[in-house]
Amino acid sequence: MIENMNELRSFIVVAQTNSFTKAAARLGVSTSALSHSMRKLEEQLKIKLFNRTTRSVSTTEAGEQLFKKLFPLFESIEDNINALSTFRDTLNGTLRINGADHSFLYAIWDKLLAFMQKYPEVNLELTSDMKFADIVAGRFDAGIRLGKEVDQDMIAIRISEDMQMALVATPQYLKKYGTPKSINDLTEHQCLCVRMPTSEGLFVWEFRSPKTQELIKFTPSGRLIVNNNFLVKKACLSHLGLALIPKDRIAEELKKGEVVEILSDHALNYEGYHLYYPNRRQNSPLFKALVEELKL
């Protein structure tokens, strides 16, 4: 019999993070104390739960099976405890959300602020990531991505308007190198490229033909390759080349004339951001409140 149920909670956090150091930080204990606690749990169960090396930790087959059984149970316990807050006319708990920085900063920031003001006892943990994260493996409550295509066991709720793209450059760059008049002209220019973290390929620029509405794809090339849009914007404002970037990210600079939009009649819109999450989360009062605040 387990002497201390907190050891099971600690086990779940270690399995989530695959790290004693990260788990200890989240639990507010020392790494050595947590490691000792997990060895004690293994002794009580008489089974090895973790494979340990000097640099990493991962669940054994038995440990993974235990995690898959325990995690939804503890999650259900937390949801039921959080549900009791309805008797106090408030909600509490923690929600972990994964999404691209653009989704947080430009699409839903005001909604998140309103949510936190409405529920002052709720904690949000936002993880900015350009990858399409596996929110189940990453132990997130929800993820945010463009479009509504998600796995079958997921639910997607639209939370933002369409995302407008804009091809821009500074007047200084255009004065020196000229202004492209067509998509083909882009081959003669320095394009600011983004290396995608998932595929490791370059982000392919997409446009819409103003005559036929046909989708046009263009693979950019240039001297500078970065891995996020903060660096793209910085490089563009430093007169290093053309940037294809969400229009709201560069709106102030467009208004001030610090950058100029090019081939605006070819600009493409992407379907807005969606909040996606496992269907089991829809019964949580706390999560329902978040969905209600974010949805269009």
Side-chain angles (χ1 to χ4, degrees):
M1 183 175 178
I2 304 301
E3 297 177 3
N4 188 344
M5 295 297 288
N6 284 331
E7 290 176 351
L8 292 179
R9 181 71 182 103
S10 298
F11 162 76
I12 288 175
V13 179
V14 176
Q16 283 179 318
T17 58
N18 288 324
S19 167
F20 282 118
T21 302
K22 292 179 181 179
R26 186 179 295 182
L27 293 166
V29 300
S30 69
T31 303
S32 59
L34 180 60
S35 180
H36 175 75
S37 177
M38 292 301 95
R39 290 194 183 280
K40 183 179 178 182
L41 178 61
E42 289 176 321
E43 290 173 2
Q44 292 178 50
L45 295 175
K46 295 182 174 56
I47 194 167
K48 186 177 181 182
L49 298 174
F50 295 106
N51 292 313
R52 300 168 174 83
T53 69
T54 55
R55 295 186 177 183
S56 66
V57 58
S58 61
T59 52
T60 62
E61 184 177 351
E64 186 64 18
Q65 178 177 312
L66 180 62
F67 171 79
K68 289 179 178 179
K69 294 288 186 180
L70 288 182
F71 181 66
L73 294 176
F74 272 79
E75 195 173 49
S76 177
I77 291 170
E78 290 180 358
D79 287 344
N80 280 285
I81 291 173
N82 291 337
L84 293 176
S85 61
T86 57
F87 293 98
R88 297 188 291 114
D89 297 321
T90 187
L91 292 172
N92 59 24
T94 298
L95 293 171
R96 301 181 66 237
I97 307 172
N98 180 285
D101 60 68
H102 180 266
S103 66
F104 292 130
L105 292 173
Y106 296 92
I108 63 168
W109 187 254
D110 290 342
K111 293 181 179 181
L112 291 175
L113 287 180
F115 179 76
M116 296 188 75
Q117 290 167 357
K118 187 179 295 185
Y119 304 107
E121 295 184 30
V122 172
N123 300 316
L124 291 182
E125 183 175 340
L126 309 179
T127 299
S128 176
D129 194 346
M130 283 189 67
K131 295 181 180 179
F132 287 137
D134 182 337
I135 62 171
V136 175
R139 322 309 183 195
F140 293 99
D141 294 289
I144 299 172
R145 68 169 59 163
L146 289 171
K148 59 185 177 183
E149 296 301 321
V150 295
D151 294 336
Q152 289 184 351
D153 61 340
M154 294 284 175
I155 296 174
I157 301 293
R158 179 134 179 187
I159 60 175
S160 80
E161 303 291 346
D162 287 352
M163 184 175 74
Q164 278 187 291
M165 300 299 291
L167 182 64
V168 298
T170 60
Q172 293 89 330
Y173 174 88
L174 297 176
K175 182 178 180 180
K176 185 173 183 179
Y177 297 103
T179 301
K181 302 298 182 184
S182 69
I183 301 299
N184 289 335
D185 289 346
L186 299 181
T187 59
E188 304 299 321
H189 285 266
Q190 287 295 319
C191 298
L192 302 172
C193 306
V194 177
R195 179 79 66 190
M196 300 303 291
T198 303
S199 67
E200 297 189 358
L202 295 182
F203 173 64
V204 176
W205 291 3
E206 294 184 332
F207 303 93
R208 183 76 67 188
S209 168
K211 293 182 179 180
T212 66
Q213 296 302 302
E214 179 185 1
L215 183 67
I216 302 171
K217 294 189 176 186
F218 174 79
T219 301
S221 63
R223 295 173 56 207
L224 183 64
I225 299 174
V226 299
N227 70 343
N228 66 70
N229 276 317
F230 287 108
L231 290 174
V232 169
K233 180 176 178 179
K234 182 71 173 179
C236 180
L237 293 175
S238 300
H239 324 302
L240 293 181
L242 309 177
L244 185 67
I245 194 168
K247 196 168 186 176
D248 51 9
R249 191 186 284 269
I250 203 79
E252 285 299 315
E253 290 77 9
L254 280 167
K255 185 177 180 180
K256 294 176 183 178
E258 295 175 8
V259 293
V260 176
E261 187 172 6
I262 306 158
L263 300 175
S264 59
D265 58 338
H266 287 71
L268 184 71
N269 289 358
Y270 290 108
E271 186 178 7
Y273 286 108
H274 286 68
L275 186 78
Y276 66 102
Y277 53 93
N279 53 27
R280 68 175 185 273
R281 298 298 296 144
Q282 61 186 328
N283 295 321
S284 162
L286 177 57
F287 198 81
K288 283 181 180 178
L290 176 70
V291 171
E292 190 64 29
E293 192 68 44
L294 295 184
K295 71 180 183 180
L296 285 183

